[in-house]
Amino acid sequence: MEQSYSWENWALDKEMGEDEEEFLRDILSKPAFSSESESQAPVVSCSAKSKRAPMTYILSFDNSTITPAPSSPPTLEAQPGKRAKRASHIMAERKRRQQLTQSFIALSATIPGLNKKDKSSMLGKAIDYVKQLQERVTELEQRKKRGKESMIILKKSEANSEDCCRANKMLPDVEARVTENEVLIEIHCEKEDGLELIKILDHLENLHLCVTASSVLPFGNSTLSITIIAQV
Amino acid sequence: MEQSYSWENWALDKEMGEDEEEFLRDILSKPAFSSESESQAPVVSCSAKSKRAPMTYILSFDNSTITPAPSSPPTLEAQPGKRAKRASHIMAERKRRQQLTQSFIALSATIPGLNKKDKSSMLGKAIDYVKQLQERVTELEQRKKRGKESMIILKKSEANSEDCCRANKMLPDVEARVTENEVLIEIHCEKEDGLELIKILDHLENLHLCVTASSVLPFGNSTLSITIIAQV
DNA sequence: GCAAACACGTGACAC
DNA sequence: TGTGTCACGTGTTTG
């Protein structure tokens, strides 16, 4: 009931509503979103109402200081492709809006504790989640970092040393522990991986590391577990 | 220049602009946002322009079927506290909008690769980042989990088995890799830690694990690196 | 110039 | 009752 007059008033918003009804048909011809029927419903009823449009006219009297030109041009030169422009503008904005909201629901889908809320607090909770997630991943990665420097050395002989995170999965699993004068290196790799013990020892020699103990154990069908202790 | 006529037309949007100017003062009295001065500027110029308001009148002729009531009530009953209501509504919406956008810039601050873009793609990249982050954290946590069950066994003899993450730093470092029929166990512990090899082998025997290879290497002054391969 | 993105004011709806 | 959120259409700006 309230929608009726509001929409009719909206109809007389601008550009005297002479052929406003077909403009409405232009817009309404593309529903562009089938979900959220409750929001779509009043628009449909609007078209039904504006078929018998009130034929409103806007008369503007400018009694102030001279501003005649700016008020008249828009109403006069509005004919040619202006209405189509407006319709496409409306559609574009509508599309943008709906893809933004569906980005929001996608966000709520990916983040666990995010059920339903207003957009701002959704973003706030998302930010908190991201922060705690990335501090967790840095904490977990800190543990892996013990073998970082020796990892770099081994990678130089295997592949280029960029994008260490991705390449890590393909490369042999290497871990190292360092004290003030000793280093413990553990390697899990495939047999015949081009990573023989002699190669590793060669690298360690270049680092002025003196191997004091080592063990190579077979694990599974084609895996080796190599453990090396060396002095700096 | 274009703003001038557009804002004047905006003035005649609804409710014939009789005392519209003081309403505008009501709204504009609270800037409510100091940042983004370029967006604020046209509003100020609007108030300056609407001081000499064009005094526009809207005449509505309804030649269709009877809809006289809906068009008249809003303009008649609008007097009492309606204008203040509208002003507060505008302010509230303004505030909501600005805190949403600043949530967006906060999001761009927390997410590394998110410089400047439209909101939708910002959300999209944020979702991707969250996904890759949480799959990374599960992957990293999976590694810790491989030594979980044997960790529990060792902890039973050492300490109570609650809060494994915290206690992990105090307890001997244990890691395990499991295939379909074999298990690799790595232990780094202090010498004379009450964790002799015989104790470990006893535990493994209770799990029906058959040890096929093992190595115990000294590392540092008081550390042992123990590696065990066992069949299920 | 045009397409896209944004901020705005406004009506509707929920708590 | 009001307070807050949302979607809408619109004007303006930018690349």
Side-chain angles (χ1 to χ4, degrees):
Chain A
M1 47 189 328
E2 292 196 22
Q3 298 164 353
S4 60
Y5 77 80
S6 68
W7 277 104
E8 286 163 5
N9 276 2
W10 168 82
L12 58 82
D13 181 10
K14 209 171 174 192
E15 302 187 17
M16 49 195 79
E18 26 132 353
D19 47 4
E20 198 71 14
E21 38 176 332
E22 44 180 329
F23 165 68
L24 286 178
R25 271 201 305 274
D26 285 357
I27 302 181
L28 296 172
S29 60
K30 285 184 69 178
F33 54 104
S34 55
S35 62
E36 226 173 33
S37 59
E38 55 92 11
S39 171
Q40 177 71 343
V43 181
V44 176
S45 68
C46 153
S47 75
K49 286 233 173 52
S50 60
K51 283 284 164 58
R52 43 173 181 79
M55 289 305 280
T56 58
Y57 299 87
I58 302 179
L59 304 185
S60 176
F61 298 97
D62 194 351
N63 61 353
S64 69
T65 57
I66 25 93
T67 50
S71 60
S72 50
T75 51
L76 290 181
E77 68 179 4
Q79 269 81 1
K82 215 72 176 184
R83 230 189 37 239
K85 183 76 67 67
R86 215 178 73 177
S88 77
H89 185 26
I90 291 178
M91 293 309 301
E93 179 66 9
R94 207 178 271 182
K95 173 180 155 199
R96 167 186 168 270
R97 227 160 14 204
Q98 89 185 39
Q99 79 183 4
L100 192 144
T101 59
Q102 101 178 14
S103 293
F104 262 102
I105 73 172
L107 178 72
S108 77
T110 53
I111 292 187
L114 210 55
N115 284 346
K116 63 189 183 307
K117 275 198 168 187
D118 56 284
K119 296 195 176 72
S120 296
S121 36
M122 274 177 78
L123 269 187
K125 302 298 279 181
I127 290 174
D128 292 350
Y129 180 71
V130 165
K131 280 185 178 175
Q132 97 181 45
L133 210 58
Q134 61 191 9
E135 88 176 11
R136 177 137 189 76
V137 78
T138 51
E139 173 200 352
L140 286 180
E141 253 170 1
Q142 205 84 21
R143 297 199 176 186
K144 285 291 167 192
K145 204 171 184 179
R146 302 174 191 176
K148 185 81 170 298
E149 61 273 25
S150 55
M151 172 101 73
I152 294 172
I153 297 163
L154 289 172
K155 273 198 298 184
K156 269 188 194 166
S157 61
E158 288 285 334
N160 50 357
S161 65
E162 44 113 9
D163 204 2
C164 67
C165 297
R166 306 262 187 273
N168 192 11
K169 297 174 182 174
M170 299 311 175
L171 289 175
D173 191 5
V174 180
E175 216 171 325
R177 283 167 171 73
V178 185
T179 66
E180 57 266 49
N181 55 2
E182 228 176 3
V183 53
L184 169 92
I185 303 174
E186 290 172 332
I187 305 175
H188 305 93
C189 63
E190 300 292 303
K191 286 177 187 170
E192 315 295 344
D193 207 5
L195 190 69
E196 305 90 10
L197 191 58
I198 174 79
K199 247 179 157 180
I200 301 172
L201 297 181
D202 190 36
H203 279 121
L204 294 181
E205 196 170 4
N206 289 346
L207 284 173
H208 306 289
L209 292 176
C210 175
V211 174
T212 57
S214 72
S215 94
V216 180
L217 302 180
F219 172 53
N221 297 329
S222 58
T223 310
L224 286 182
S225 170
I226 306 176
T227 308
I228 299 174
I229 310 281
Q231 309 255 9
V232 296
Chain B
M1 46 191 325
E2 291 197 21
Q3 297 166 354
S4 59
Y5 79 81
S6 68
W7 275 105
E8 285 163 7
N9 276 5
W10 169 83
L12 61 82
D13 181 11
K14 209 170 174 193
E15 302 187 17
M16 49 195 78
E18 26 132 353
D19 47 6
E20 198 71 13
E21 38 178 331
E22 44 180 328
F23 165 69
L24 285 179
R25 272 200 304 273
D26 286 356
I27 303 181
L28 296 172
S29 60
K30 285 183 68 178
F33 54 105
S34 54
S35 64
E36 229 173 32
S37 58
E38 55 91 12
S39 171
Q40 177 72 342
V43 181
V44 177
S45 69
C46 151
S47 74
K49 286 236 172 52
S50 60
K51 282 286 165 58
R52 43 174 181 79
M55 289 306 280
T56 59
Y57 299 88
I58 302 179
L59 303 186
S60 176
F61 298 96
D62 193 351
N63 60 352
S64 69
T65 58
I66 23 88
T67 50
S71 59
S72 49
T75 51
L76 290 181
E77 68 180 3
Q79 270 80 3
K82 214 71 175 183
R83 232 188 36 238
K85 182 78 66 70
R86 216 179 73 176
S88 77
H89 182 27
I90 291 179
M91 294 307 302
E93 179 66 9
R94 208 177 270 181
K95 172 182 156 196
R96 168 187 167 272
R97 228 160 14 206
Q98 89 185 38
Q99 80 183 4
L100 192 145
T101 60
Q102 103 179 12
S103 292
F104 261 101
I105 72 171
L107 178 72
S108 77
T110 54
I111 292 187
L114 210 55
N115 285 345
K116 64 190 183 306
K117 274 198 169 185
D118 55 286
K119 294 194 178 70
S120 297
S121 34
M122 273 176 79
L123 269 187
K125 302 299 280 181
I127 290 174
D128 292 349
Y129 180 71
V130 165
K131 279 185 178 175
Q132 100 179 45
L133 211 58
Q134 62 192 7
E135 89 175 12
R136 178 137 190 78
V137 77
T138 52
E139 173 200 351
L140 286 180
E141 255 169 358
Q142 204 83 20
R143 292 206 178 184
K144 282 293 164 191
K145 205 169 184 178
R146 296 179 190 177
K148 185 85 168 293
E149 62 272 29
S150 54
M151 173 98 73
I152 293 172
I153 298 165
L154 291 171
K155 274 198 297 184
K156 269 188 196 164
S157 61
E158 290 283 331
N160 49 357
S161 65
E162 45 115 7
D163 203 2
C164 67
C165 296
R166 307 266 187 268
N168 191 9
K169 296 173 182 176
M170 298 309 178
L171 289 175
D173 192 3
V174 179
E175 216 171 327
R177 284 167 169 73
V178 184
T179 67
E180 57 267 52
N181 54 3
E182 229 176 1
V183 54
L184 169 91
I185 302 173
E186 290 174 332
I187 303 175
H188 305 92
C189 63
E190 300 293 305
K191 285 176 187 168
E192 316 295 344
D193 206 5
L195 188 69
E196 305 90 10
L197 191 56
I198 175 81
K199 247 180 156 178
I200 301 172
L201 297 182
D202 189 35
H203 278 121
L204 295 182
E205 197 170 5
N206 288 346
L207 284 173
H208 305 289
L209 292 176
C210 175
V211 175
T212 57
S214 73
S215 94
V216 179
L217 300 180
F219 172 52
N221 297 327
S222 58
T223 309
L224 285 182
S225 169
I226 306 176
T227 307
I228 299 175
I229 311 281
Q231 309 255 9
V232 297

